[in-house]
Amino acid sequence: MSYEAKFRVWRGDDGSGELTDYTVEVNEGEVVLDIIHRLQATQAPDLAVRWNCKAGKCGSCSAEINGMPKLLCMTRMSTFDPDETVTVTPVRTFPVIRDLVTDVSYNYQKAREIPSFDPGDAGPGELRMQQVDVERSQEFRKCIECFLCQNVCHVIRDHEENKEQFAGPRFLMRIGELEMHPADQADRRNIAQDDHGLGFCNITKCCTEVCPEHIKITDNALIPMKERVVGRKYDPVVWLGSKLGIV
Ligand code: F3S
């Protein structure tokens, strides 16, 4: 069944912009990205949108649909009432380049700042892992880097001034992944707390709620990292051991 949907799309650049109304055809089985593509093909050829795989795996088409951070390609039109106006805006935490496309370079900067996997003296083929450790990090490796978690976290969403000190849930999860890796030799606890702002996270879990891969970012990465940091910082025995260099 086809119908005409009311769409409201943010149009503009880094200087100014406004919501623009469109009426556009919707067909059975379509997702919001299909409608944005139809808009480009029929009414707004200059409408800018970033996308690539259209299968929920590349993490490119992040946007806000009726105010909720979502992937355009994974949001079915059947989830809306046909009479409802569907509002599509760019993710709010990153600067707009044009229309629905934002500058997400903050995330690449944060990724570069995290010290990479440190195998110590182990040579190629010498590392052995228990299956339980493999599975733990595999959950984190499902991340498609859509940055919806980064977009929704209030620490930076409403506070530009925190971006310098806070890496955001995606990259604190990456630090957690490395910290929990049995073969990684680096101590990631101070890196998380002192260099990447783990203390800013007050466990609101918004990041977990919007993850399209359903990664339990808060429960499985951020809270365990906080527990490890607290153990090191405030347990007197651990603290003394760390001073003596034996923990
Ligand atoms: Fe932000 Fe997630 Fe913590 S949304 S405050 S990083 S639990």
Side-chain angles (χ1 to χ4, degrees):
M1 187 194 82
S2 298
Y3 67 96
E4 298 288 314
K6 292 190 282 297
F7 259 67
R8 187 167 288 166
V9 182
W10 196 87
R11 305 294 312 271
D13 55 27
D14 60 348
S16 63
E18 60 181 5
L19 291 167
T20 304
D21 289 316
Y22 300 96
T23 301
V24 56
E25 180 188 324
V26 175
N27 300 309
E28 195 163 349
E30 289 185 329
V31 294
V32 174
L33 184 59
D34 290 314
I35 311 309
I36 295 294
H37 285 164
R38 184 163 297 122
L39 269 178
Q40 285 180 320
T42 59
Q43 303 177 50
D46 60 340
L47 171 60
V49 60
R50 184 184 284 131
W51 69 284
N52 191 13
C53 75
K54 202 171 177 280
K57 288 297 166 201
C58 75
S60 301
C61 65
S62 302
E64 300 196 3
I65 303 173
N66 292 347
M68 291 298 295
K70 293 202 184 277
L71 296 179
L72 295 174
C73 74
M74 296 303 284
T75 307
R76 293 197 167 275
M77 285 304 297
S78 58
T79 58
F80 305 106
D81 191 289
D83 295 331
E84 189 178 347
T85 299
V86 179
T87 302
V88 185
T89 50
V91 290
R92 200 176 88 192
T93 299
F94 309 117
V96 169
I97 297 174
R98 192 158 68 84
D99 302 335
L100 300 177
V101 177
T102 54
D103 175 0
V104 293
S105 54
Y106 159 84
N107 299 288
Y108 302 124
Q109 176 63 34
K110 294 298 172 185
R112 275 194 295 272
E113 289 170 5
I114 297 172
S116 55
F117 176 70
D118 176 2
D121 297 330
E126 289 177 10
L127 299 177
R128 293 288 179 272
M129 286 176 75
Q130 300 287 327
Q131 187 60 28
V132 64
D133 293 321
V134 173
E135 283 163 11
R136 189 182 298 120
S137 61
Q138 267 176 351
E139 181 191 12
F140 306 141
R141 304 287 288 191
K142 288 193 303 180
C143 176
I144 59 172
E145 299 209 318
C146 62
F147 305 131
L148 288 179
C149 62
Q150 303 283 91
N151 171 55
V152 82
C153 178
H154 70 97
V155 175
I156 47 175
R157 185 173 174 90
D158 299 316
H159 298 280
E160 184 69 26
E161 71 277 12
N162 288 341
K163 282 185 177 171
E164 179 79 23
Q165 304 157 77
F166 186 64
R170 191 276 168 268
F171 298 104
L172 290 169
M173 179 177 81
R174 170 68 178 150
I175 297 171
E177 177 194 335
L178 291 165
E179 170 68 17
M180 293 175 217
H181 194 299
D184 181 70
Q185 299 302 308
D187 185 340
R188 309 274 169 179
R189 293 170 292 187
N190 290 346
I191 292 172
Q193 186 73 8
D194 300 337
D195 303 340
H196 293 283
L198 179 64
F200 280 86
C201 166
N202 54 354
I203 317 181
T204 58
K205 298 198 179 187
C206 308
C207 50
T208 301
E209 275 178 35
V210 300
C211 177
E213 287 291 321
H214 308 293
I215 303 170
K216 292 193 170 65
I217 304 170
T218 322
D219 287 354
N220 290 350
L222 305 184
I223 292 174
M225 278 308 291
K226 280 176 175 284
E227 288 170 347
R228 287 168 186 238
V229 167
V230 165
R232 184 173 183 82
K233 254 184 144 67
Y234 302 111
D235 182 319
V237 177
V238 177
W239 178 83
L240 184 61
S242 72
K243 291 291 164 201
L244 296 172
I246 55 176
V247 178

